[in-house]
Amino acid sequence: MVEGIRDTAINEGYHNLSHHGKSEDKLTQFKALDLAHMRLLGGLYKDLKAVREGEQSLLDHTMVLYGSNFGDSNQHVCFNMPILFAGGGFKHGQHLVFDTLQNYPLPNLLLSMLQRMGIEQDKFATSTGTMRGLEMT
């Protein structure tokens, strides 16, 4: 069992919990599952960073994108989505926040990732350019 879940009885599936309707019981279960996911993701980052590839780590050579397709899953709101991005030779250790009313397109991050992989594109889906604030190390 994943740490963080053992203290909480999970009696519904993740999708149903994501439509919690602000029920305290569902929110408690949803939070426990999300915390468990974050611990697993942290373990992945740690494991990738521990593997050396020459002067760098495997994490430096790997891009890990984790997030949600909803900013608010309870209401199926698909903007202002929480996204975590690590590795790939980008400068990390920062929290980038964008205007919640003038939404910054997620495809800008995806375009930056494509370019980092050597795919010469200047546009991807609804991108308006590469991602601001995301720089190479």
Side-chain angles (χ1 to χ4, degrees), residues 87-107:
F90 289 100
K91 178 183 174 206
H92 294 287
Q94 57 187 337
H95 179 207
L96 300 176
V97 179
F98 300 98
D99 188 323
T100 58
L101 299 177
Q102 300 294 318
N103 288 298
Y104 186 82
L106 180 59

mmCIF file with all atom_site columns, all heavy atoms in Angstrom, residues 87-107:
data_model
loop_
_atom_site.group_PDB
_atom_site.id
_atom_site.type_symbol
_atom_site.label_atom_id
_atom_site.label_alt_id
_atom_site.label_comp_id
_atom_site.label_asym_id
_atom_site.label_entity_id
_atom_site.label_seq_id
_atom_site.pdbx_PDB_ins_code
_atom_site.Cartn_x
_atom_site.Cartn_y
_atom_site.Cartn_z
_atom_site.occupancy
_atom_site.B_iso_or_equiv
_atom_site.pdbx_formal_charge
_atom_site.auth_seq_id
_atom_site.auth_comp_id
_atom_site.auth_asym_id
_atom_site.auth_atom_id
_atom_site.pdbx_PDB_model_num
ATOM 1   N N   . GLY A 1 87  ? 13.065  17.839 -15.253 1.00 0.00 ? 87  GLY A N   1
ATOM 2   C CA  . GLY A 1 87  ? 14.087  17.212 -16.073 1.00 0.00 ? 87  GLY A CA  1
ATOM 3   C C   . GLY A 1 87  ? 14.278  17.850 -17.430 1.00 0.00 ? 87  GLY A C   1
ATOM 4   O O   . GLY A 1 87  ? 13.886  18.980 -17.689 1.00 0.00 ? 87  GLY A O   1
ATOM 5   N N   . GLY A 1 88  ? 14.915  17.076 -18.294 1.00 0.00 ? 88  GLY A N   1
ATOM 6   C CA  . GLY A 1 88  ? 15.098  17.471 -19.679 1.00 0.00 ? 88  GLY A CA  1
ATOM 7   C C   . GLY A 1 88  ? 16.116  18.554 -19.929 1.00 0.00 ? 88  GLY A C   1
ATOM 8   O O   . GLY A 1 88  ? 16.168  19.117 -21.016 1.00 0.00 ? 88  GLY A O   1
ATOM 9   N N   . GLY A 1 89  ? 16.915  18.885 -18.925 1.00 0.00 ? 89  GLY A N   1
ATOM 10  C CA  . GLY A 1 89  ? 17.912  19.922 -19.127 1.00 0.00 ? 89  GLY A CA  1
ATOM 11  C C   . GLY A 1 89  ? 17.373  21.335 -18.978 1.00 0.00 ? 89  GLY A C   1
ATOM 12  O O   . GLY A 1 89  ? 18.046  22.302 -19.309 1.00 0.00 ? 89  GLY A O   1
ATOM 13  N N   . PHE A 1 90  ? 16.144  21.459 -18.478 1.00 0.00 ? 90  PHE A N   1
ATOM 14  C CA  . PHE A 1 90  ? 15.564  22.778 -18.234 1.00 0.00 ? 90  PHE A CA  1
ATOM 15  C C   . PHE A 1 90  ? 15.892  23.230 -16.819 1.00 0.00 ? 90  PHE A C   1
ATOM 16  O O   . PHE A 1 90  ? 16.119  22.417 -15.927 1.00 0.00 ? 90  PHE A O   1
ATOM 17  C CB  . PHE A 1 90  ? 14.037  22.740 -18.392 1.00 0.00 ? 90  PHE A CB  1
ATOM 18  C CG  . PHE A 1 90  ? 13.577  22.568 -19.813 1.00 0.00 ? 90  PHE A CG  1
ATOM 19  C CD1 . PHE A 1 90  ? 13.187  21.320 -20.275 1.00 0.00 ? 90  PHE A CD1 1
ATOM 20  C CD2 . PHE A 1 90  ? 13.526  23.643 -20.673 1.00 0.00 ? 90  PHE A CD2 1
ATOM 21  C CE1 . PHE A 1 90  ? 12.752  21.151 -21.583 1.00 0.00 ? 90  PHE A CE1 1
ATOM 22  C CE2 . PHE A 1 90  ? 13.094  23.485 -21.983 1.00 0.00 ? 90  PHE A CE2 1
ATOM 23  C CZ  . PHE A 1 90  ? 12.703  22.239 -22.442 1.00 0.00 ? 90  PHE A CZ  1
ATOM 24  N N   . LYS A 1 91  ? 15.873  24.536 -16.587 1.00 0.00 ? 91  LYS A N   1
ATOM 25  C CA  . LYS A 1 91  ? 16.051  25.095 -15.250 1.00 0.00 ? 91  LYS A CA  1
ATOM 26  C C   . LYS A 1 91  ? 14.737  24.873 -14.492 1.00 0.00 ? 91  LYS A C   1
ATOM 27  O O   . LYS A 1 91  ? 13.679  25.297 -14.940 1.00 0.00 ? 91  LYS A O   1
ATOM 28  C CB  . LYS A 1 91  ? 16.370  26.584 -15.338 1.00 0.00 ? 91  LYS A CB  1
ATOM 29  C CG  . LYS A 1 91  ? 16.526  27.241 -13.992 1.00 0.00 ? 91  LYS A CG  1
ATOM 30  C CD  . LYS A 1 91  ? 16.771  28.724 -14.154 1.00 0.00 ? 91  LYS A CD  1
ATOM 31  C CE  . LYS A 1 91  ? 16.778  29.362 -12.777 1.00 0.00 ? 91  LYS A CE  1
ATOM 32  N NZ  . LYS A 1 91  ? 16.412  30.753 -12.850 1.00 0.00 ? 91  LYS A NZ  1
ATOM 33  N N   . HIS A 1 92  ? 14.839  24.225 -13.349 1.00 0.00 ? 92  HIS A N   1
ATOM 34  C CA  . HIS A 1 92  ? 13.636  23.951 -12.550 1.00 0.00 ? 92  HIS A CA  1
ATOM 35  C C   . HIS A 1 92  ? 13.783  24.574 -11.171 1.00 0.00 ? 92  HIS A C   1
ATOM 36  O O   . HIS A 1 92  ? 14.618  25.442 -10.973 1.00 0.00 ? 92  HIS A O   1
ATOM 37  C CB  . HIS A 1 92  ? 13.413  22.433 -12.457 1.00 0.00 ? 92  HIS A CB  1
ATOM 38  C CG  . HIS A 1 92  ? 13.083  21.814 -13.772 1.00 0.00 ? 92  HIS A CG  1
ATOM 39  N ND1 . HIS A 1 92  ? 11.870  21.969 -14.392 1.00 0.00 ? 92  HIS A ND1 1
ATOM 40  C CD2 . HIS A 1 92  ? 13.820  21.051 -14.608 1.00 0.00 ? 92  HIS A CD2 1
ATOM 41  C CE1 . HIS A 1 92  ? 11.862  21.322 -15.544 1.00 0.00 ? 92  HIS A CE1 1
ATOM 42  N NE2 . HIS A 1 92  ? 13.044  20.755 -15.703 1.00 0.00 ? 92  HIS A NE2 1
ATOM 43  N N   . GLY A 1 93  ? 12.980  24.128 -10.242 1.00 0.00 ? 93  GLY A N   1
ATOM 44  C CA  . GLY A 1 93  ? 13.027  24.669 -8.892  1.00 0.00 ? 93  GLY A CA  1
ATOM 45  C C   . GLY A 1 93  ? 12.303  25.995 -8.792  1.00 0.00 ? 93  GLY A C   1
ATOM 46  O O   . GLY A 1 93  ? 12.648  26.856 -7.989  1.00 0.00 ? 93  GLY A O   1
ATOM 47  N N   . GLN A 1 94  ? 11.277  26.166 -9.608  1.00 0.00 ? 94  GLN A N   1
ATOM 48  C CA  . GLN A 1 94  ? 10.516  27.403 -9.601  1.00 0.00 ? 94  GLN A CA  1
ATOM 49  C C   . GLN A 1 94  ? 9.037   27.093 -9.800  1.00 0.00 ? 94  GLN A C   1
ATOM 50  O O   . GLN A 1 94  ? 8.672   26.033 -10.282 1.00 0.00 ? 94  GLN A O   1
ATOM 51  C CB  . GLN A 1 94  ? 11.015  28.339 -10.692 1.00 0.00 ? 94  GLN A CB  1
ATOM 52  C CG  . GLN A 1 94  ? 10.954  27.720 -12.086 1.00 0.00 ? 94  GLN A CG  1
ATOM 53  C CD  . GLN A 1 94  ? 11.618  28.593 -13.130 1.00 0.00 ? 94  GLN A CD  1
ATOM 54  O OE1 . GLN A 1 94  ? 11.750  29.797 -12.958 1.00 0.00 ? 94  GLN A OE1 1
ATOM 55  N NE2 . GLN A 1 94  ? 12.032  28.001 -14.229 1.00 0.00 ? 94  GLN A NE2 1
ATOM 56  N N   . HIS A 1 95  ? 8.211   28.012 -9.391  1.00 0.00 ? 95  HIS A N   1
ATOM 57  C CA  . HIS A 1 95  ? 6.775   27.893 -9.553  1.00 0.00 ? 95  HIS A CA  1
ATOM 58  C C   . HIS A 1 95  ? 6.346   29.020 -10.483 1.00 0.00 ? 95  HIS A C   1
ATOM 59  O O   . HIS A 1 95  ? 6.414   30.193 -10.122 1.00 0.00 ? 95  HIS A O   1
ATOM 60  C CB  . HIS A 1 95  ? 6.082   28.027 -8.187  1.00 0.00 ? 95  HIS A CB  1
ATOM 61  C CG  . HIS A 1 95  ? 4.595   27.946 -8.265  1.00 0.00 ? 95  HIS A CG  1
ATOM 62  N ND1 . HIS A 1 95  ? 3.785   28.548 -7.339  1.00 0.00 ? 95  HIS A ND1 1
ATOM 63  C CD2 . HIS A 1 95  ? 3.772   27.333 -9.136  1.00 0.00 ? 95  HIS A CD2 1
ATOM 64  C CE1 . HIS A 1 95  ? 2.519   28.312 -7.637  1.00 0.00 ? 95  HIS A CE1 1
ATOM 65  N NE2 . HIS A 1 95  ? 2.487   27.584 -8.731  1.00 0.00 ? 95  HIS A NE2 1
ATOM 66  N N   . LEU A 1 96  ? 5.954   28.655 -11.691 1.00 0.00 ? 96  LEU A N   1
ATOM 67  C CA  . LEU A 1 96  ? 5.512   29.654 -12.664 1.00 0.00 ? 96  LEU A CA  1
ATOM 68  C C   . LEU A 1 96  ? 3.992   29.778 -12.583 1.00 0.00 ? 96  LEU A C   1
ATOM 69  O O   . LEU A 1 96  ? 3.277   28.784 -12.636 1.00 0.00 ? 96  LEU A O   1
ATOM 70  C CB  . LEU A 1 96  ? 5.926   29.242 -14.079 1.00 0.00 ? 96  LEU A CB  1
ATOM 71  C CG  . LEU A 1 96  ? 7.433   29.065 -14.305 1.00 0.00 ? 96  LEU A CG  1
ATOM 72  C CD1 . LEU A 1 96  ? 7.698   28.567 -15.722 1.00 0.00 ? 96  LEU A CD1 1
ATOM 73  C CD2 . LEU A 1 96  ? 8.181   30.354 -14.038 1.00 0.00 ? 96  LEU A CD2 1
ATOM 74  N N   . VAL A 1 97  ? 3.526   30.990 -12.451 1.00 0.00 ? 97  VAL A N   1
ATOM 75  C CA  . VAL A 1 97  ? 2.089   31.258 -12.356 1.00 0.00 ? 97  VAL A CA  1
ATOM 76  C C   . VAL A 1 97  ? 1.734   32.203 -13.492 1.00 0.00 ? 97  VAL A C   1
ATOM 77  O O   . VAL A 1 97  ? 2.440   33.181 -13.743 1.00 0.00 ? 97  VAL A O   1
ATOM 78  C CB  . VAL A 1 97  ? 1.727   31.908 -11.000 1.00 0.00 ? 97  VAL A CB  1
ATOM 79  C CG1 . VAL A 1 97  ? 0.238   32.210 -10.925 1.00 0.00 ? 97  VAL A CG1 1
ATOM 80  C CG2 . VAL A 1 97  ? 2.143   31.007 -9.853  1.00 0.00 ? 97  VAL A CG2 1
ATOM 81  N N   . PHE A 1 98  ? 0.631   31.915 -14.154 1.00 0.00 ? 98  PHE A N   1
ATOM 82  C CA  . PHE A 1 98  ? 0.198   32.744 -15.272 1.00 0.00 ? 98  PHE A CA  1
ATOM 83  C C   . PHE A 1 98  ? -1.186  33.307 -14.983 1.00 0.00 ? 98  PHE A C   1
ATOM 84  O O   . PHE A 1 98  ? -1.910  32.817 -14.123 1.00 0.00 ? 98  PHE A O   1
ATOM 85  C CB  . PHE A 1 98  ? 0.202   31.913 -16.565 1.00 0.00 ? 98  PHE A CB  1
ATOM 86  C CG  . PHE A 1 98  ? 1.580   31.378 -16.875 1.00 0.00 ? 98  PHE A CG  1
ATOM 87  C CD1 . PHE A 1 98  ? 1.927   30.085 -16.533 1.00 0.00 ? 98  PHE A CD1 1
ATOM 88  C CD2 . PHE A 1 98  ? 2.531   32.189 -17.459 1.00 0.00 ? 98  PHE A CD2 1
ATOM 89  C CE1 . PHE A 1 98  ? 3.196   29.597 -16.785 1.00 0.00 ? 98  PHE A CE1 1
ATOM 90  C CE2 . PHE A 1 98  ? 3.806   31.717 -17.722 1.00 0.00 ? 98  PHE A CE2 1
ATOM 91  C CZ  . PHE A 1 98  ? 4.142   30.419 -17.385 1.00 0.00 ? 98  PHE A CZ  1
ATOM 92  N N   . ASP A 1 99  ? -1.563  34.322 -15.701 1.00 0.00 ? 99  ASP A N   1
ATOM 93  C CA  . ASP A 1 99  ? -2.844  35.005 -15.524 1.00 0.00 ? 99  ASP A CA  1
ATOM 94  C C   . ASP A 1 99  ? -3.996  34.009 -15.671 1.00 0.00 ? 99  ASP A C   1
ATOM 95  O O   . ASP A 1 99  ? -4.118  33.339 -16.694 1.00 0.00 ? 99  ASP A O   1
ATOM 96  C CB  . ASP A 1 99  ? -2.953  36.115 -16.568 1.00 0.00 ? 99  ASP A CB  1
ATOM 97  C CG  . ASP A 1 99  ? -4.150  37.020 -16.372 1.00 0.00 ? 99  ASP A CG  1
ATOM 98  O OD1 . ASP A 1 99  ? -5.230  36.541 -15.978 1.00 0.00 ? 99  ASP A OD1 1
ATOM 99  O OD2 . ASP A 1 99  ? -4.009  38.223 -16.625 1.00 0.00 ? 99  ASP A OD2 1
ATOM 100 N N   . THR A 1 100 ? -4.833  33.920 -14.656 1.00 0.00 ? 100 THR A N   1
ATOM 101 C CA  . THR A 1 100 ? -5.934  32.951 -14.689 1.00 0.00 ? 100 THR A CA  1
ATOM 102 C C   . THR A 1 100 ? -7.069  33.380 -15.608 1.00 0.00 ? 100 THR A C   1
ATOM 103 O O   . THR A 1 100 ? -7.892  32.558 -15.987 1.00 0.00 ? 100 THR A O   1
ATOM 104 C CB  . THR A 1 100 ? -6.502  32.706 -13.275 1.00 0.00 ? 100 THR A CB  1
ATOM 105 O OG1 . THR A 1 100 ? -6.945  33.951 -12.735 1.00 0.00 ? 100 THR A OG1 1
ATOM 106 C CG2 . THR A 1 100 ? -5.460  32.086 -12.372 1.00 0.00 ? 100 THR A CG2 1
ATOM 107 N N   . LEU A 1 101 ? -7.120  34.655 -15.967 1.00 0.00 ? 101 LEU A N   1
ATOM 108 C CA  . LEU A 1 101 ? -8.172  35.121 -16.875 1.00 0.00 ? 101 LEU A CA  1
ATOM 109 C C   . LEU A 1 101 ? -7.712  35.119 -18.324 1.00 0.00 ? 101 LEU A C   1
ATOM 110 O O   . LEU A 1 101 ? -8.478  34.804 -19.223 1.00 0.00 ? 101 LEU A O   1
ATOM 111 C CB  . LEU A 1 101 ? -8.653  36.520 -16.465 1.00 0.00 ? 101 LEU A CB  1
ATOM 112 C CG  . LEU A 1 101 ? -9.254  36.596 -15.055 1.00 0.00 ? 101 LEU A CG  1
ATOM 113 C CD1 . LEU A 1 101 ? -9.626  38.032 -14.714 1.00 0.00 ? 101 LEU A CD1 1
ATOM 114 C CD2 . LEU A 1 101 ? -10.469 35.685 -14.932 1.00 0.00 ? 101 LEU A CD2 1
ATOM 115 N N   . GLN A 1 102 ? -6.474  35.513 -18.556 1.00 0.00 ? 102 GLN A N   1
ATOM 116 C CA  . GLN A 1 102 ? -5.891  35.475 -19.901 1.00 0.00 ? 102 GLN A CA  1
ATOM 117 C C   . GLN A 1 102 ? -5.011  34.227 -19.955 1.00 0.00 ? 102 GLN A C   1
ATOM 118 O O   . GLN A 1 102 ? -3.797  34.310 -19.850 1.00 0.00 ? 102 GLN A O   1
ATOM 119 C CB  . GLN A 1 102 ? -5.061  36.742 -20.161 1.00 0.00 ? 102 GLN A CB  1
ATOM 120 C CG  . GLN A 1 102 ? -5.844  38.026 -20.070 1.00 0.00 ? 102 GLN A CG  1
ATOM 121 C CD  . GLN A 1 102 ? -6.893  38.126 -21.162 1.00 0.00 ? 102 GLN A CD  1
ATOM 122 O OE1 . GLN A 1 102 ? -6.650  37.788 -22.309 1.00 0.00 ? 102 GLN A OE1 1
ATOM 123 N NE2 . GLN A 1 102 ? -8.075  38.590 -20.804 1.00 0.00 ? 102 GLN A NE2 1
ATOM 124 N N   . ASN A 1 103 ? -5.645  33.085 -20.099 1.00 0.00 ? 103 ASN A N   1
ATOM 125 C CA  . ASN A 1 103 ? -4.949  31.810 -19.951 1.00 0.00 ? 103 ASN A CA  1
ATOM 126 C C   . ASN A 1 103 ? -3.772  31.664 -20.894 1.00 0.00 ? 103 ASN A C   1
ATOM 127 O O   . ASN A 1 103 ? -3.842  31.975 -22.079 1.00 0.00 ? 103 ASN A O   1
ATOM 128 C CB  . ASN A 1 103 ? -5.931  30.653 -20.165 1.00 0.00 ? 103 ASN A CB  1
ATOM 129 C CG  . ASN A 1 103 ? -6.872  30.519 -19.013 1.00 0.00 ? 103 ASN A CG  1
ATOM 130 O OD1 . ASN A 1 103 ? -6.436  30.269 -17.907 1.00 0.00 ? 103 ASN A OD1 1
ATOM 131 N ND2 . ASN A 1 103 ? -8.152  30.714 -19.262 1.00 0.00 ? 103 ASN A ND2 1
ATOM 132 N N   . TYR A 1 104 ? -2.693  31.167 -20.329 1.00 0.00 ? 104 TYR A N   1
ATOM 133 C CA  . TYR A 1 104 ? -1.457  30.894 -21.050 1.00 0.00 ? 104 TYR A CA  1
ATOM 134 C C   . TYR A 1 104 ? -1.595  29.494 -21.641 1.00 0.00 ? 104 TYR A C   1
ATOM 135 O O   . TYR A 1 104 ? -1.918  28.554 -20.916 1.00 0.00 ? 104 TYR A O   1
ATOM 136 C CB  . TYR A 1 104 ? -0.308  30.957 -20.046 1.00 0.00 ? 104 TYR A CB  1
ATOM 137 C CG  . TYR A 1 104 ? 1.064   30.838 -20.632 1.00 0.00 ? 104 TYR A CG  1
ATOM 138 C CD1 . TYR A 1 104 ? 1.686   31.940 -21.195 1.00 0.00 ? 104 TYR A CD1 1
ATOM 139 C CD2 . TYR A 1 104 ? 1.739   29.638 -20.612 1.00 0.00 ? 104 TYR A CD2 1
ATOM 140 C CE1 . TYR A 1 104 ? 2.955   31.851 -21.713 1.00 0.00 ? 104 TYR A CE1 1
ATOM 141 C CE2 . TYR A 1 104 ? 3.014   29.537 -21.133 1.00 0.00 ? 104 TYR A CE2 1
ATOM 142 C CZ  . TYR A 1 104 ? 3.622   30.643 -21.681 1.00 0.00 ? 104 TYR A CZ  1
ATOM 143 O OH  . TYR A 1 104 ? 4.872   30.550 -22.203 1.00 0.00 ? 104 TYR A OH  1
ATOM 144 N N   . PRO A 1 105 ? -1.397  29.328 -22.934 1.00 0.00 ? 105 PRO A N   1
ATOM 145 C CA  . PRO A 1 105 ? -1.657  28.014 -23.542 1.00 0.00 ? 105 PRO A CA  1
ATOM 146 C C   . PRO A 1 105 ? -0.635  26.940 -23.141 1.00 0.00 ? 105 PRO A C   1
ATOM 147 O O   . PRO A 1 105 ? 0.575   27.148 -23.261 1.00 0.00 ? 105 PRO A O   1
ATOM 148 C CB  . PRO A 1 105 ? -1.610  28.282 -25.036 1.00 0.00 ? 105 PRO A CB  1
ATOM 149 C CG  . PRO A 1 105 ? -0.965  29.611 -25.204 1.00 0.00 ? 105 PRO A CG  1
ATOM 150 C CD  . PRO A 1 105 ? -1.021  30.335 -23.908 1.00 0.00 ? 105 PRO A CD  1
ATOM 151 N N   . LEU A 1 106 ? -1.139  25.809 -22.673 1.00 0.00 ? 106 LEU A N   1
ATOM 152 C CA  . LEU A 1 106 ? -0.289  24.671 -22.334 1.00 0.00 ? 106 LEU A CA  1
ATOM 153 C C   . LEU A 1 106 ? 0.547   24.212 -23.534 1.00 0.00 ? 106 LEU A C   1
ATOM 154 O O   . LEU A 1 106 ? 1.686   23.784 -23.352 1.00 0.00 ? 106 LEU A O   1
ATOM 155 C CB  . LEU A 1 106 ? -1.134  23.513 -21.795 1.00 0.00 ? 106 LEU A CB  1
ATOM 156 C CG  . LEU A 1 106 ? -0.383  22.253 -21.400 1.00 0.00 ? 106 LEU A CG  1
ATOM 157 C CD1 . LEU A 1 106 ? 0.650   22.538 -20.316 1.00 0.00 ? 106 LEU A CD1 1
ATOM 158 C CD2 . LEU A 1 106 ? -1.350  21.175 -20.943 1.00 0.00 ? 106 LEU A CD2 1
ATOM 159 N N   . PRO A 1 107 ? 0.049   24.300 -24.765 1.00 0.00 ? 107 PRO A N   1
ATOM 160 C CA  . PRO A 1 107 ? 0.883   23.912 -25.905 1.00 0.00 ? 107 PRO A CA  1
ATOM 161 C C   . PRO A 1 107 ? 2.208   24.677 -26.001 1.00 0.00 ? 107 PRO A C   1
ATOM 162 O O   . PRO A 1 107 ? 3.130   24.222 -26.663 1.00 0.00 ? 107 PRO A O   1
ATOM 163 C CB  . PRO A 1 107 ? -0.014  24.169 -27.120 1.00 0.00 ? 107 PRO A CB  1
ATOM 164 C CG  . PRO A 1 107 ? -1.383  23.911 -26.592 1.00 0.00 ? 107 PRO A CG  1
ATOM 165 C CD  . PRO A 1 107 ? -1.347  24.513 -25.197 1.00 0.00 ? 107 PRO A CD  1
#
